Coordinates of all heavy atoms in Angstrom, one line a residue:
E354 N 69.0 99.9 45.8 CA 70.1 99.1 46.2 C 70.0 98.7 47.6 O 69.5 99.6 48.4 CB 71.5 99.9 46.0 CG 71.8 100.2 44.6 CD 73.0 101.2 44.5 OE1 73.8 101.3 45.5 OE2 73.2 101.8 43.4
A355 N 70.5 97.6 48.0 CA 70.7 97.2 49.4 C 72.1 97.3 49.8 O 73.0 96.7 49.1 CB 70.1 95.8 49.6
A356 N 72.4 98.1 50.8 CA 73.8 98.3 51.2 C 74.3 97.1 52.0 O 73.7 96.8 53.0 CB 74.0 99.6 51.9
A357 N 75.4 96.5 51.6 CA 76.0 95.4 52.3 C 76.8 96.0 53.5 O 76.9 95.5 54.5 CB 76.8 94.5 51.4
D358 N 77.4 97.2 53.2 CA 78.3 97.8 54.1 C 77.8 99.2 54.5 O 77.8 100.1 53.6 CB 79.7 97.8 53.4 CG 80.8 98.5 54.3 OD1 80.4 99.0 55.4 OD2 81.9 98.5 53.9
L359 N 77.4 99.3 55.7 CA 76.8 100.6 56.2 C 77.8 101.8 56.0 O 77.4 102.8 55.5 CB 76.4 100.5 57.7 CG 76.0 101.8 58.3 CD1 74.7 102.3 57.6 CD2 75.7 101.6 59.8
L360 N 79.1 101.6 56.4 CA 80.0 102.7 56.3 C 80.3 103.1 54.9 O 80.3 104.3 54.6 CB 81.3 102.3 57.1 CG 81.1 102.0 58.6 CD1 82.4 101.9 59.3 CD2 80.2 103.1 59.2
A361 N 80.4 102.2 54.0 CA 80.7 102.5 52.6 C 79.5 103.3 52.0 O 79.6 104.3 51.4 CB 80.9 101.3 51.8
A362 N 78.3 102.8 52.4 CA 77.1 103.5 51.9 C 76.9 104.9 52.5 O 76.6 105.9 51.8 CB 75.8 102.7 52.2
A363 N 77.2 105.0 53.8 CA 77.1 106.3 54.5 C 78.1 107.3 53.9 O 77.8 108.5 53.8 CB 77.3 106.2 56.0
A364 N 79.3 106.8 53.6 CA 80.3 107.7 53.1 C 79.9 108.3 51.7 O 80.4 109.4 51.4 CB 81.7 107.0 52.9
Q365 N 79.1 107.6 50.9 CA 78.8 108.1 49.6 C 77.4 108.8 49.5 O 77.1 109.3 48.5 CB 78.7 106.9 48.6 CG 80.1 106.3 48.3 CD 80.0 104.9 47.7 OE1 78.9 104.5 47.3 NE2 81.1 104.2 47.7
A366 N 76.7 108.8 50.6 CA 75.3 109.3 50.5 C 75.3 110.8 50.5 O 76.1 111.5 51.2 CB 74.5 108.8 51.7
D367 N 74.3 111.4 49.8 CA 74.1 112.9 49.9 C 73.1 113.2 51.0 O 73.2 114.2 51.7 CB 73.5 113.4 48.6 CG 74.5 113.1 47.5 OD1 75.6 113.6 47.5 OD2 74.2 112.2 46.6
V368 N 72.1 112.3 51.2 CA 71.2 112.5 52.3 C 71.1 111.1 53.1 O 71.0 110.1 52.4 CB 69.8 112.9 51.8 CG1 68.8 113.0 53.0 CG2 69.8 114.2 51.1
I369 N 71.1 111.2 54.4 CA 71.0 110.0 55.2 C 69.7 110.1 56.1 O 69.6 111.2 56.8 CB 72.2 109.7 56.1 CG1 73.4 109.5 55.2 CG2 72.0 108.5 57.0 CD1 74.7 109.2 56.0
V370 N 68.8 109.2 56.0 CA 67.6 109.2 56.9 C 67.8 108.1 57.9 O 67.9 106.9 57.5 CB 66.4 109.0 56.0 CG1 65.1 109.1 56.9 CG2 66.3 110.0 54.9
L371 N 67.8 108.5 59.2 CA 67.8 107.5 60.2 C 66.4 107.1 60.5 O 65.6 107.9 61.1 CB 68.5 108.0 61.5 CG 69.9 108.6 61.3 CD1 70.4 109.4 62.5 CD2 70.9 107.5 61.0
A372 N 66.0 105.8 60.2 CA 64.7 105.4 60.4 C 64.7 104.1 61.3 O 63.9 103.2 61.2 CB 64.0 105.1 59.1
V373 N 65.6 104.1 62.3 CA 65.7 103.0 63.2 C 64.9 103.4 64.5 O 64.5 104.5 64.7 CB 67.2 102.8 63.6 CG1 67.9 102.3 62.4 CG2 67.8 104.0 64.2
P374 N 64.7 102.4 65.4 CA 64.0 102.7 66.6 C 64.7 103.8 67.4 O 65.9 104.0 67.3 CB 64.0 101.4 67.4 CG 64.1 100.4 66.3 CD 64.9 101.0 65.3
V375 N 63.9 104.6 68.2 CA 64.4 105.7 68.9 C 65.7 105.4 69.7 O 66.7 106.2 69.6 CB 63.3 106.2 69.9 CG1 63.8 107.1 71.0 CG2 62.2 106.9 69.1
K376 N 65.8 104.3 70.3 CA 66.9 104.0 71.1 C 68.2 103.7 70.3 O 69.3 103.8 70.8 CB 66.6 102.8 72.0 CG 66.8 103.1 73.5 CD 66.5 101.9 74.4 CE 67.6 100.9 74.6 NZ 67.2 99.7 75.3
A377 N 67.9 103.2 69.0 CA 69.1 102.9 68.2 C 69.7 104.1 67.4 O 70.7 103.9 66.8 CB 68.6 101.8 67.2
I378 N 69.0 105.2 67.5 CA 69.5 106.4 66.7 C 70.9 106.7 67.1 O 71.8 107.0 66.3 CB 68.5 107.6 66.8 CG1 67.2 107.2 66.1 CG2 69.1 108.8 66.2 CD1 66.1 108.2 66.2
E379 N 71.2 106.8 68.4 CA 72.5 107.2 68.9 C 73.6 106.1 68.5 O 74.7 106.5 68.0 CB 72.5 107.4 70.4 CG 73.9 107.8 70.9 CD 73.9 108.4 72.3 OE1 72.9 108.8 72.8 OE2 75.0 108.4 72.9
T380 N 73.2 104.9 68.5 CA 74.1 103.8 68.1 C 74.5 104.0 66.6 O 75.7 103.9 66.3 CB 73.4 102.4 68.3 OG1 72.7 102.4 69.5 CG2 74.4 101.3 68.2
V381 N 73.5 104.2 65.8 CA 73.8 104.3 64.4 C 74.6 105.6 64.1 O 75.5 105.6 63.3 CB 72.4 104.3 63.6 CG1 72.7 104.6 62.1 CG2 71.7 102.9 63.7
L382 N 74.2 106.7 64.8 CA 75.0 107.9 64.6 C 76.4 107.7 64.9 O 77.3 108.2 64.2 CB 74.4 109.0 65.5 CG 73.3 110.0 65.0 CD1 73.0 111.0 66.0 CD2 73.8 110.7 63.7
A383 N 76.7 107.0 66.0 CA 78.1 106.7 66.4 C 78.8 105.9 65.4 O 80.0 106.1 65.1 CB 78.1 106.1 67.8
E384 N 78.1 104.9 64.8 CA 78.7 104.1 63.8 C 79.1 104.8 62.5 O 80.2 104.6 62.0 CB 77.7 103.0 63.4 CG 77.7 101.7 64.2 CD 76.6 100.7 63.7 OE1 76.9 100.0 62.7 OE2 75.5 100.7 64.3
I385 N 78.2 105.7 62.1 CA 78.5 106.4 60.8 C 79.4 107.7 61.0 O 79.9 108.2 60.0 CB 77.2 106.7 60.0 CG1 76.3 107.7 60.8 CG2 76.4 105.5 59.6 CD1 75.1 108.2 60.0
L386 N 79.5 108.1 62.2 CA 80.2 109.4 62.5 C 81.6 109.5 61.8 O 81.9 110.5 61.1 CB 80.3 109.5 64.0 CG 81.1 110.7 64.5 CD1 80.4 112.0 64.1 CD2 81.1 110.7 66.1
P387 N 82.4 108.4 61.9 CA 83.7 108.5 61.3 C 83.8 108.7 59.8 O 84.7 109.2 59.2 CB 84.4 107.2 61.6 CG 83.6 106.6 62.7 CD 82.2 107.1 62.5
V388 N 82.7 108.3 59.1 CA 82.8 108.4 57.6 C 81.9 109.5 57.1 O 81.8 109.7 55.8 CB 82.3 107.1 56.9 CG1 83.2 105.9 57.4 CG2 80.9 106.7 57.2
L389 N 81.2 110.3 57.9 CA 80.3 111.3 57.5 C 81.0 112.4 56.8 O 82.0 113.0 57.4 CB 79.5 111.9 58.7 CG 78.2 111.3 59.0 CD1 77.5 112.2 60.1 CD2 77.3 111.2 57.8
R390 N 80.6 112.8 55.6 CA 81.2 114.0 54.9 C 80.5 115.2 55.4 O 79.3 115.2 55.7 CB 81.1 113.9 53.4 CG 81.9 112.7 52.8 CD 81.7 112.6 51.3 NE 80.4 112.1 51.0 CZ 79.5 112.7 50.2 NH1 79.9 113.9 49.6 NH2 78.3 112.3 49.9
T391 N 81.2 116.4 55.5 CA 80.5 117.6 56.0 C 79.3 118.0 55.2 O 78.4 118.6 55.7 CB 81.5 118.8 56.1 OG1 82.2 118.8 54.9 CG2 82.4 118.7 57.3
E392 N 79.4 117.7 53.9 CA 78.2 118.1 53.0 C 77.0 117.2 53.1 O 76.0 117.5 52.6 CB 78.7 118.3 51.6 CG 79.3 117.1 50.9 CD 80.8 117.0 51.1 OE1 81.3 117.4 52.1 OE2 81.5 116.6 50.1
T393 N 77.2 116.0 53.7 CA 76.0 115.1 53.8 C 74.9 115.7 54.7 O 75.2 116.2 55.8 CB 76.5 113.7 54.3 OG1 77.5 113.3 53.4 CG2 75.4 112.7 54.4
I394 N 73.7 115.6 54.2 CA 72.6 116.1 55.1 C 72.0 114.9 55.8 O 71.8 113.8 55.2 CB 71.5 116.8 54.2 CG1 72.1 118.0 53.5 CG2 70.3 117.1 55.0 CD1 71.2 118.7 52.6
L395 N 71.8 115.1 57.1 CA 71.3 114.0 57.9 C 69.9 114.3 58.5 O 69.7 115.5 58.8 CB 72.2 113.9 59.2 CG 73.2 112.8 59.3 CD1 73.9 113.0 60.7 CD2 72.6 111.4 59.3
T396 N 69.0 113.4 58.5 CA 67.8 113.6 59.2 C 67.3 112.3 59.9 O 68.0 111.3 59.7 CB 66.7 114.1 58.3 OG1 65.5 114.5 59.0 CG2 66.2 113.1 57.3
D397 N 66.3 112.3 60.7 CA 65.8 111.1 61.3 C 64.3 111.2 61.3 O 63.7 112.2 61.0 CB 66.3 110.9 62.7 CG 65.6 111.9 63.7 OD1 65.7 113.1 63.5 OD2 65.0 111.4 64.7
V398 N 63.6 110.1 61.7 CA 62.2 110.0 61.8 C 61.6 109.7 63.2 O 60.5 109.3 63.3 CB 61.6 109.0 60.7 CG1 62.0 109.4 59.3 CG2 62.0 107.6 61.0
G399 N 62.5 109.8 64.2 CA 62.2 109.3 65.5 C 61.0 110.0 66.1 O 60.8 111.2 65.9
S400 N 60.2 109.3 66.9 CA 59.0 109.9 67.5 C 59.3 110.9 68.6 O 58.3 111.5 69.1 CB 58.1 108.7 68.0 OG 57.9 107.8 67.0
V401 N 60.5 110.9 69.1 CA 60.9 111.9 70.2 C 62.1 112.6 69.6 O 62.9 112.0 68.9 CB 61.2 111.1 71.5 CG1 61.6 112.1 72.6 CG2 60.1 110.2 71.9
K402 N 62.2 113.9 69.9 CA 63.2 114.7 69.3 C 64.3 115.1 70.3 O 65.5 115.2 70.0 CB 62.7 116.0 68.6 CG 61.7 115.6 67.5 CD 62.3 115.3 66.1 CE 63.4 114.3 66.0 NZ 62.9 112.9 65.6
G403 N 63.9 115.3 71.6 CA 64.9 115.8 72.6 C 66.0 114.8 72.7 O 67.2 115.2 72.8
N404 N 65.7 113.5 72.7 CA 66.8 112.5 72.9 C 67.7 112.5 71.8 O 68.9 112.2 71.9 CB 66.1 111.1 73.2 CG 65.5 110.6 71.9 OD1 64.7 111.3 71.3 ND2 65.8 109.4 71.6
V405 N 67.2 112.7 70.6 CA 68.0 112.7 69.3 C 69.0 113.8 69.4 O 70.2 113.7 69.1 CB 67.1 112.8 68.1 CG1 68.0 112.9 66.8 CG2 66.2 111.6 68.0
V406 N 68.5 115.0 69.8 CA 69.4 116.2 69.9 C 70.5 115.9 71.0 O 71.6 116.2 70.8 CB 68.5 117.4 70.2 CG1 69.3 118.6 70.7 CG2 67.7 117.8 69.0
R407 N 70.1 115.3 72.1 CA 71.0 115.1 73.2 C 72.1 114.0 72.7 O 73.3 114.2 73.0 CB 70.3 114.6 74.4 CG 69.6 115.7 75.2 CD 69.2 115.2 76.6 NE 68.1 114.2 76.5 CZ 66.8 114.4 76.4 NH1 66.4 115.7 76.2 NH2 66.0 113.4 76.3

Side-chain angles (χ1 to χ4, degrees):
E354 294 172 19
D358 178 356
L359 173 61
L360 297 189
Q365 288 163 16
D367 299 297
V368 176
I369 298 178
V370 181
L371 304 169
V373 295
V375 161
K376 237 177 85 184
I378 292 177
E379 182 164 338
T380 317
V381 174
L382 266 180
E384 271 179 82
I385 61 174
L386 179 62
V388 301
L389 268 188
R390 290 177 295 126
T391 44
E392 57 270 35
T393 302
I394 296 176
L395 257 181
T396 189
D397 77 300
V398 300
S400 304
V401 183
K402 301 276 51 94
N404 69 311
V405 174
V406 165
R407 286 192 294 277

